[in-house]
Amino acid sequence: MTELKTITIIKPDDWHVHVRDGKILEKVIKYTAQFYKRAIIMPNLEDPITNCVKSLAYRNRILNSIKFNSTFQPLMTCYLTPFTTSKELEYGFYKKIFVAAKLYLKSSTTNSENGIKNINDINHILQCMEDISMPLLIHGEDNDKNIDIYDRESEFIKNILEPLRKKFSKLKIILEHITTKDAVEYVKKHDEQYLSATITPHHLMLNRNDMFLKGIQPHLYCLPILKKRTHQQALRQAVSNGDKHFFLGSDTAPHLNKNKIHCFGRPGIFNAPSSLLCYITVFEELNALKHFQAFCSENGPNFYNMPINTETVTLVKKPFKILNKINIGKKKIIPFLSGKTLHWSMKT
Ligand code: NCD
Ligand code: ZN
């Protein structure tokens, strides 16, 4: 029998996950904890994580939801609102309660109603973050409803990010889940210590045609929305070159099926059960496996000035069937690519 192809890399981190709370948290956290050593936890709960007290309690709920022996570390973030104070952020950052703060412009995505209306309203906060080298995580879409949904990221870069960078050139920024050629080119122009970007598996694997294949596919609806093929290719090109500006952030975002299949279906793709396997599939297709470890396990910690993990994971070229659904009591969540088979699995 021929040996199966395997690849061993330093254990990766996921620099953008939504694990929710309560019953959903209890069911989904194991998928992130199985692949990743650390994960940046998004603070956009219905009651957002806006201060240290809420963050510490949420972190405990996350750790208590992990039922197997695990060394997984949730890295907490602070949701910026018009009422955030520099004192709270500074205290949280120095005490290592927060590793970063998250900017949602108001009404730009799930649970962003408490976000920022106008970026200039928080100049004092951004100044403080620049001074203490606290990273700013950005959902980069212009929330002006007159802007076409497919242009919201590129307009954000022009109208909001570029002026912000001019004002705070030493602020450490991650442009999250980028989806366009414009974002790739913009990020590449800057020093990777001050501007980097995460890329999701779904934006690497799919484009907007896939959302409408055989009929509308609500489980592929996410924000920023899937873009056209030329943008997908630019993202694939960016990761295949091994550029240090780009790293892993799955944006796994579980929603109950009843909220996806709804006349106001929610944005978000739950990819945690397969995210790492999707990434390796893409890197193999691109003939770029030599850059896989840097994307998964090195570029992220280097940006955050955190140690690189010492554990490893081994992936093996063996079919892996993605589960059809996970049950949450009588309700369910449908994972990304549910029921499909990938060619890579995790060695246990
Ligand atoms: C995320 C969610 O559901 O919380 N949804 C998504 O489509 N990505 C929020 C976000 O990251 O925009
Ligand atoms: Zn997200």
Side-chain angles (χ1 to χ4, degrees):
M1 222 177 80
T2 50
E3 283 258 320
L4 292 171
K5 181 170 172 182
T6 65
I7 174 165
T8 297
I9 57 164
I10 294 168
K11 193 160 188 181
D13 305 300
D14 187 339
W15 300 97
H16 183 131
V17 305
H18 303 265
V19 294
R20 315 300 189 206
D21 212 343
K23 289 197 173 76
I24 298 187
L25 167 63
E26 278 172 27
K27 282 295 182 82
V28 302
I29 189 67
K30 68 173 182 194
Y31 297 104
T32 293
Q34 72 181 348
F35 289 137
Y36 303 104
K37 172 77 181 179
R38 298 171 288 205
I40 286 272
I41 307 294
M42 286 294 129
N44 65 329
L45 301 184
E46 276 166 38
D47 177 17
I49 304 302
T50 50
N51 60 43
C52 295
V53 171
K54 283 184 179 177
S55 182
L56 287 168
Y58 185 34
R59 183 170 182 276
N60 279 336
R61 294 200 294 282
I62 294 171
L63 289 172
N64 290 335
S65 303
I66 303 175
K67 301 286 184 260
F68 60 97
N69 194 0
S70 161
T71 58
F72 174 72
Q73 291 170 14
L75 305 174
M76 309 309 287
T77 57
C78 182
Y79 184 119
L80 296 178
T81 78
F83 310 106
T84 308
T85 63
S86 307
K87 200 169 152 218
E88 185 78 15
L89 271 189
E90 216 171 322
Y91 178 82
F93 190 58
Y94 281 131
K95 292 281 177 192
K96 299 194 180 340
I97 298 167
F98 296 128
V99 304
K102 171 81 187 210
L103 170 70
Y104 292 104
L105 289 179
K106 195 173 164 66
S107 310
S108 54
T109 187
T110 309
N111 298 336
S112 58
E113 291 315 307
N114 294 290
I116 304 300
K117 211 164 170 186
N118 183 328
I119 185 90
N120 290 318
D121 297 345
I122 56 161
N123 279 336
H124 58 296
I125 293 290
L126 301 174
Q127 184 62 62
C128 159
M129 292 178 68
E130 181 179 50
D131 293 343
I132 63 175
S133 297
M134 182 178 192
L136 176 70
L137 312 184
I138 298 185
H139 181 107
E141 289 194 283
D142 196 326
N143 56 349
D144 179 340
K145 292 296 171 269
N146 294 319
I147 297 176
D148 190 283
I149 187 167
Y150 290 101
D151 298 332
R152 282 192 195 144
E153 184 172 281
S154 49
E155 290 295 312
F156 179 89
I157 293 171
K158 268 193 280 181
N159 306 335
I160 300 169
L161 184 57
E162 175 58 12
L164 177 82
R165 288 217 51 83
K166 288 231 165 82
K167 230 181 271 167
F168 304 103
S169 62
K170 294 273 155 70
L171 177 60
K172 287 175 81 63
I173 294 177
I174 297 188
L175 191 55
E176 301 198 282
H177 42 52
I178 59 166
T179 59
T180 56
K181 189 167 187 267
D182 313 57
V184 168
E185 284 170 2
Y186 186 79
V187 169
K188 273 167 93 168
K189 281 199 303 219
H190 295 82
D191 180 338
E192 75 255 13
Q193 272 307 303
Y194 296 112
L195 183 63
S196 280
T198 53
I199 305 184
T200 76
H202 40 281
H203 290 103
L204 289 168
M205 292 174 100
L206 305 175
N207 60 61
R208 66 189 188 184
N209 277 356
D210 296 292
M211 241 184 333
F212 304 106
L213 211 63
K214 298 189 197 157
I216 191 155
Q217 297 201 26
H219 294 294
L220 299 184
Y221 170 51
C222 63
L223 290 173
I225 200 157
L226 293 170
K227 303 296 190 303
K228 66 181 184 187
R229 189 152 183 268
T230 44
H231 292 298
Q232 179 197 3
Q233 282 168 334
L235 300 176
R236 289 170 71 95
Q237 179 86 36
V239 302
S240 70
N241 288 343
D243 191 308
K244 289 185 173 26
H245 289 90
F246 304 105
F247 49 87
L248 190 158
S250 71
D251 195 16
T252 178
H255 287 281
L256 292 177
N257 196 48
K258 71 179 179 67
N259 295 329
K260 294 286 294 173
I261 312 297
H262 189 281
C263 44
F264 295 102
R266 303 211 182 141
I269 294 181
F270 174 52
N271 62 30
S274 66
S275 56
L276 188 62
L277 310 175
C278 291
Y279 282 117
I280 192 168
T281 303
V282 170
F283 274 76
E284 188 184 40
E285 283 167 5
L286 294 168
N287 208 2
L289 285 173
K290 61 175 180 297
H291 298 305
F292 186 56
Q293 174 169 286
F295 178 81
C296 298
S297 319
E298 294 170 4
N299 299 349
N302 285 343
F303 177 86
Y304 279 90
N305 293 321
M306 284 185 193
I308 288 179
N309 296 323
T310 50
E311 294 163 43
T312 58
V313 291
T314 299
L315 302 176
V316 45
K317 192 142 187 207
K318 193 173 103 187
F320 172 83
K321 185 167 182 286
I322 299 173
L323 70 177
N324 289 318
K325 60 173 181 158
I326 60 171
N327 294 316
I328 311 284
K330 290 200 172 116
K331 305 186 179 98
K332 60 185 177 186
I333 295 175
I334 307 294
F336 180 51
L337 304 178
S338 67
K340 302 244 165 52
T341 299
L342 294 174
H343 298 301
W344 285 90
S345 24
M346 169 113 142
K347 194 168 175 184
T348 41

